[in-house]
């Protein structure tokens, strides 16, 4: 409730946090300065440039202060790599555990790629519906961000939440992303791993990831603050999974190294408690 109390309760952790923050400033600010010094053009219009160009109307058209810029950059980098990495690990773990899904996926990939150039191109992904189904099923079953919070206020919000009224000044609502995508009233056998549910005729066939039409799952959040990296993340996941499955057969490791789906609830990501271990067999491709 009062985050500032933390520095008195946990002085050593607070010290570490400040040191980490200084390190971020040390790395990011020279890069920001370099971007500032460049003449903006269509070719180099980056995320940092877009934040530099922002003006906060409520504060007299003020620019985003340097401190907040550092926070935004670290949020952008952290959200991008850690959440995609965690989702990739969950996906590969499921493919190890479900060899029949892996075989079916490899057949789809090879069918598209074989006989042509011998490697996967960006455009090929759109012709791989089962690959998309595998990725969707993985982020449904194992959403890497288990909840999103919103400050809500007013009668309209109360109505949407199905309560008569909200406390004065509003309140914070925690939307349980994980529970939503494993709701047995929406998903049949929700704890099983079944990409087929996202194929034609399946209950998730036309699932809406942005949550504008309906919310059956919301691994990327929903509404105005929906993850801006969603399309990139879906592309990266599809691309990495396709290449990893095409190049290797993923087999379960023996004994204690076998796949363990126990979750580790870190902040803010849910990862595999014990990282994925697998036996990888390189596959030989015959190209024309
Ligand atoms: C599998 C990968 C990813 C997942 C599961 C994921 C999920 C999420 C979720 C649940 C949120 C919170 C949305 C909300 O509050 O409603 C979020 C926010 C955000 N994501 Fe992602 N994300 C992923 C990848 C990425 C990537 C690749 C990028 C950038 C290239 C990115 C950038 C961001 C940013 C900047 C925000 C904050 C948006 C805001 O506060 O308005 N994410 N993400």
């Amino acid at each position: 409730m009062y985050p500032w109390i933390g520095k008195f309760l946990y002085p050593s952790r607070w010290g570490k946090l400040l040191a980490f923050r200084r390190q971020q400033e040390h790395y990011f600010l020279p890069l920001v300065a370099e971007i500032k010094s460049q003449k903006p053009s269509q070719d180099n219009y980056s995320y940092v440039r877009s934040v530099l160009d922002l003006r906060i109307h409520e504060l007299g058209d003020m620019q985003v202060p340097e401190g907040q810029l550092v926070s935004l950059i670290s949020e952008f980098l952290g959200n991008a790599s850690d959440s995609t990495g965690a989702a990739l690990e969950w996906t590969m773990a499921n493919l190890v555990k479900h060899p029949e899904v892996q075989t079916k996926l490899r057949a789809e990939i090879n069918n598209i790629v074989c006989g042509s150039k011998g490697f996967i191109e960006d455009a090929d992904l759109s012709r791989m519906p089962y690959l998309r189904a595998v990725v969707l099923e993985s982020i449904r079953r194992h959403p890497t961000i288990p909840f999103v919070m919103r400050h809500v206020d007013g009668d309209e919000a109360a109505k949407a939440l199905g309560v008569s009224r909200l406390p004065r000044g509003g309140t914070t609502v925690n939307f349980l992303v994980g529970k939503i995508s494993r709701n047995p009233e929406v998903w049949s056998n929700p704890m099983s791993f079944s990409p087929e549910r996202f194929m034609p005729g399946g209950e998730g066939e036309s699932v809406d990831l942005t949550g504008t039409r309906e919310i059956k799952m919301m691994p990327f959040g929903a509404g105005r603050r929906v993850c801006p990296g969603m399309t990139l993340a879906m592309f990266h996941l599809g691309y990495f999974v396709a290449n990893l499955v095409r190049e290797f057969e993923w087999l379960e490791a023996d004994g204690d190294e076998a796949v363990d789906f126990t979750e580790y609830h870190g902040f803010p990501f849910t990862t595999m408690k014990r990282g994925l271990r697998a036996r990888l067999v390189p596959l030989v491709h015959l190209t024309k």
Side-chain angles (χ1 to χ4, degrees):
M1 193 183 274
Y2 300 109
W4 53 267
I5 290 183
K7 67 175 139 182
F8 301 110
L9 289 179
Y10 307 106
S12 114
R13 284 193 203 174
W14 185 256
K16 276 190 197 156
L17 185 73
L18 287 186
F20 180 62
R21 174 67 184 199
R22 275 194 294 273
Q23 214 179 23
Q24 285 185 326
E25 288 172 357
H26 171 76
Y27 286 117
F28 296 159
L29 290 179
L31 296 171
V32 171
E34 198 178 315
I35 291 175
K36 266 186 189 168
S37 71
Q38 288 166 1
K39 218 171 147 221
S41 78
Q42 289 245 313
D43 299 335
N44 70 6
Y45 199 79
S46 60
Y47 172 72
V48 173
R49 169 64 66 188
S50 73
V51 181
L52 287 172
D53 287 350
L54 261 181
R55 294 295 174 271
I56 309 171
H57 298 305
E58 292 81 359
L59 300 176
D61 280 348
M62 193 178 91
Q63 272 188 290
V64 174
E66 220 166 53
Q68 285 188 26
L69 187 64
V70 170
S71 303
L72 285 170
I73 295 173
S74 67
E75 185 189 46
F76 195 83
L77 292 176
N79 279 339
S81 49
D82 293 355
S83 50
T84 310
L88 181 63
E89 191 175 32
W90 284 117
T91 311
M92 297 318 297
N94 274 292
L95 290 176
V96 168
K97 212 65 197 167
H98 300 275
E100 72 293 351
V101 174
Q102 194 184 141
T103 306
K104 188 169 168 183
L105 177 58
R106 187 171 297 110
E108 178 183 77
I109 297 165
N110 284 339
N111 197 22
I112 299 290
V113 181
C114 261
S116 56
K117 62 267 156 183
F119 59 88
I120 301 169
E121 280 183 319
D122 308 3
D124 294 333
L125 301 186
S126 59
R127 293 189 290 146
M128 297 180 186
Y130 196 62
L131 172 69
R132 182 176 154 80
V134 166
V135 171
L136 284 173
E137 176 64 343
S138 174
I139 57 176
R140 177 199 70 80
R141 178 64 186 76
H142 307 277
T144 50
I145 299 190
F147 58 84
V148 293
M149 294 211 264
R150 286 290 183 281
H151 182 81
V152 292
D153 199 359
D155 293 340
E156 216 174 300
K159 201 171 145 201
L161 291 167
V163 293
S164 54
R165 67 193 174 89
L166 294 168
R168 198 164 349 148
T171 188
T172 302
V173 176
N174 187 349
F175 293 88
L176 298 173
V177 174
K179 286 250 157 63
I180 292 172
S181 60
R182 297 174 200 165
N183 180 354
E185 287 173 19
V186 176
W187 301 99
S188 58
N189 213 352
M191 300 310 277
S192 69
F193 183 81
S194 170
E196 277 67 22
R197 63 174 98 236
F198 290 99
M199 296 298 281
E203 61 204 319
E205 179 185 359
S206 53
V207 75
D208 173 17
L209 277 186
T210 60
T212 29
R213 192 168 23 86
E214 58 166 8
I215 298 184
K216 278 185 165 179
M217 60 193 269
M218 46 182 275
F220 295 101
R224 269 195 299 177
R225 300 285 299 272
V226 71
C227 173
M230 182 174 75
T231 311
L232 184 66
M234 285 300 288
F235 168 73
H236 277 161
L237 284 171
Y239 194 73
F240 292 147
V241 172
N243 277 289
L244 291 173
V245 167
R246 182 170 146 78
E247 296 304 328
F248 302 98
E249 183 168 9
W250 289 67
L251 302 169
E252 184 151 34
D254 299 326
D256 287 351
E257 309 249 279
V259 175
D260 178 352
F261 283 114
T262 310
E263 295 179 340
Y264 172 74
H265 298 281
F267 185 78
F269 303 114
T270 301
T271 53
M272 291 180 74
K273 186 168 181 189
R274 217 191 53 201
L276 171 64
R277 301 283 163 87
R279 280 187 297 129
L280 270 63
V281 180
L283 296 170
V284 179
H285 301 295
L286 300 174
T287 45
K288 276 190 203 169

